[in-house]
């Protein structure tokens, strides 16, 4: 029961508040009016002008997810197989960046990536470059920042599913004429699919809603849907509009999540 | 192999292990094991847990690499080959069936990996499932099957590849006794049917005796004795084998007098008995194995007139256990020697405290080799 109370207070209540606000409107003085519920905000949120920002968000979140899996799977596999008694210590190392605020770490990346930053200076000092390459305020820097920030969320569930995999199944695969690669493709990969799906969701969802990274590492010109929501709430002061847009983003996320879970169930039950 | 070495006219053995040794750190799991196994044999590796039998099997399968020694299959050196490059398949102890595949997917796995096309794989899967009495189970998930059914899927998954050798690691260990007995018979039938060499690992001596053509008894990483089941039971060469195969009474003693085909042994308890032997020397210390069912037990009354001597031992019944098909007596001789005696339930019955006479045929008291060897070493 306490669990239900926590969930109601911290999860359901804010959602209800946002839902109510998203149906409200602003009076001429800019004050929130909740008396006459309307769907106008949703109609406004559906305008095609937002599509590029939305596409950008999806692009960042998808790429971040794919790159996180590509890096996270080998890392998790290595920790599980070869970590031995140091497994826990290695996992703590994976979590170590969380000891510093996400915001500060994003600023650190700015210092590293900017034109006169650590990387460019080093390359120019050593004579490898004549002029700095622009790394900050590109898609590259945004995705780098997101992968860096969300990679631990991928590694942990991947580690759990790889570590739980019965090695005798892999040996059985090898015994049944699968090469090392074949056993990975036909035994390890399908059996760790739950971890892959969990890791994908845990990276994709926060990446889709992330506005700090696109804002700091993507520059003023990079517009994602989460950034628009944030701007509408703060500078625009139009809470009903922002709430409606936020709700629609959540709707897309939920649909994506359900699709992910469905594919997982198909994988497990066939 | 080059031809000149084949001039003995012997065919190349299915499996030849030469001085196979496996160390894990300081532990010697398998210690200098050499064996040859013939084509179509049902061969068992038998021993208590930790004796090295499973490690030997895993080296045959390619899952562990030997520290030293050599493994040949039909003359081909496969010592360092990975599992997928060996013409052998394994039935794992806990079956290791793939939970993400159905029965047909599990059985066809090896065929598909070797590039057999879908239709042929499907046909051969159907045939082998028929053979293990699982026709119609193709689309079942593994977790929907009983233990016995899973065991048969594991068997089918290995056999469908028509391996040169099938390795089985305690495949019946997880099943209850009744099912185990039934599957022992079925496994033997399938083996004779397909004609594939089986190497079977078990700690259950009864299972090994029931199914095997030959058995290697292992202990502390070494082979103690290799032979047919009746060889091992009737002519164990050392006390470990005598005690591990069936149960036995191990008796220490000294040769007192030697006759052309027999000897009189003075047991450590002071009792005397006659042993059929030709090579014994007076004064030699020996160890005897006498099976409980070889000891005759009768009422002491009929023997009252005879002096106690090598022909029979006077004793007293200490405990009686009714085993269903037989009666087991724990008796103690007047010299203080404790013996287990197994008697048919139709003979005379005795109660705890009864005075009895024990006798056995000299041929049933077996002098064990390990003790004799030890004596020779001491003497030289």
């Amino acid at each position: 029961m306490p669990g239900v109370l926590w969930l109601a207070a911290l999860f359901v209540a804010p959602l209800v508040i946002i839902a109510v606000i998203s149906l409200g409107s602003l009076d001429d003085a800019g004050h929130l009016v909740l008396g006459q519920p309307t769907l106008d905000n949703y109609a406004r949120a559906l305008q095609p002008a937002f599509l590029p920002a939305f596409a950008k968000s999806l692009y960042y979140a998808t790429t971040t997810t794919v790159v996180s899996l590509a890096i996270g799977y080998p890392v998790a596999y290595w920790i599980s197989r070869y970590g031995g008694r140091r497994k826990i210590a290695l996992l703590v190392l994976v979590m170590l960046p969380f000891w510093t605020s996400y915001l500060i770490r994003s600023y650190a990346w700015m210092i590293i990536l900017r034109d006169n930053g650590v990387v460019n200076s080093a390359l120019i000092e050593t004579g490898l470059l004549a002029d700095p390459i622009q790394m900050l305020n590109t898609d590259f820097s945004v995705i780098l920042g997101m992968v860096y920030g969300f990679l631990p969320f991928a590694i942990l569930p991947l580690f759990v599913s790889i570590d739980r995999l019965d090695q005798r199944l892999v040996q059985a695969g090898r015994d049944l004429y699968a090469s090392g690669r074949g056993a990975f493709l036909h035994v390890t990969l399908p059996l760790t699919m739950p971890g892959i799906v969990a890791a994908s969701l845990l990276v994709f969802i926060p990446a889709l809603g992330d506005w700090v990274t696109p804002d700091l590492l993507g520059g003023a010109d990079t517009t994602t849907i989460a950034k628009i929501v944030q701007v509408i709430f703060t500078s625009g002061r139009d809470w009903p509009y922002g709430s409606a847009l936020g709700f629609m983003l959540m709707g897309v996320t939920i649909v994506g999540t359900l699709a992910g879970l469905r594919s997982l169930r198909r994988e497990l039950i066939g | 192999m080059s031809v000149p070495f084949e001039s003995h006219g012997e065919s190349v053995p299915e499996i030849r292990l030469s001085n196979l040794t496996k160390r894990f750190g300081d532990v010697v799991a398998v210690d200098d094991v050499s064996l040859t196994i013939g084509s179509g044999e049902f061969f068992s590796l038998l021993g208590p847990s930790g004796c090295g039998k499973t490690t030997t099997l895993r080296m045959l399968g390619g899952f562990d690499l030997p520290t030293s020694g050599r493994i040949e299959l039909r003359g081909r050196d496969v010592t360092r080959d990975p599992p997928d490059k060996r013409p052998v398949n394994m039935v794992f102890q806990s079956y290791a069936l793939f939970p993400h595949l159905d029965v047909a997917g599990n059985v066809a796995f090896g065929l598909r990996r070797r590039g057999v096309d879908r239709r042929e794989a499907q046909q051969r899967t159907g045939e082998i499932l028929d053979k293990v009495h699982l026709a119609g189970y193709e689309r079942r998930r593994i977790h929907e099957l009983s233990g016995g059914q899973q065991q048969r899927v594991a068997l089918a998954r290995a056999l469908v590849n028509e391996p040169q050798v099938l390795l089985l690691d305690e495949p019946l260990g997880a099943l209850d006794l009744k099912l185990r007995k039934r599957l022992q018979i079925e496994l033997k039938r399938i083996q004779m049917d397909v004609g594939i060499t089986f190497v079977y690992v078990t700690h259950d001596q009864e299972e090994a005796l029931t199914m095997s053509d030959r058995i290697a008894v292992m202990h502390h990483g070494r082979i103690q004795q290799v032979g047919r089941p009746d060889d091992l039971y009737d002519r164990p060469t050392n006390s470990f084998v005598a005690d591990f195969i069936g149960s036995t009474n191990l008796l220490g003693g000294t040769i007192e007098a030697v006759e052309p085909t027999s000897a009189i042994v003075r047991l450590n308890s002071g009792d005397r008995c006659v042993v059929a032997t030709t090579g014994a020397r007076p004064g030699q210390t020996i160890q005897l194995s006498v099976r409980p069912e070889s000891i005759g037990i009768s009422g002491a009354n009929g023997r009252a007139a005879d002096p106690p001597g090598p022909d029979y031992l006077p004793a007293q019944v200490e405990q009686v256990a009714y085993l269903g098909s037989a009666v087991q007596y724990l008796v103690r001789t007047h010299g203080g020697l404790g013996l287990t005696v197994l008697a048919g339930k139709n003979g005379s019955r005795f109660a705890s405290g009864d005075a009895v006479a024990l006798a056995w045929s000299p041929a049933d008291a077996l002098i064990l080799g390990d003790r004799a060897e030890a004596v020779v070493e001491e003497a030289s």
Side-chain angles (χ1 to χ4, degrees), chain A residues 168-169 171 174-175 177 186, chain B residues 84 89-90 94 97 100:
Chain A
R168 280 171 302 192
L169 294 173
Q171 288 176 358
R174 294 302 306 273
D175 184 58
Y177 309 106
H186 295 284
Chain B
D84 52 312
N89 286 113
M90 178 110 142
S94 50
L97 296 172
H100 61 296

Side-chain angles (χ1 to χ4, degrees), chain B residues 88-100:
Chain B
V88 302
N89 286 113
M90 178 110 142
V91 175
F92 289 80
Q93 188 167 16
S94 50
Y95 317 138
L97 296 172
F98 303 124
H100 61 296

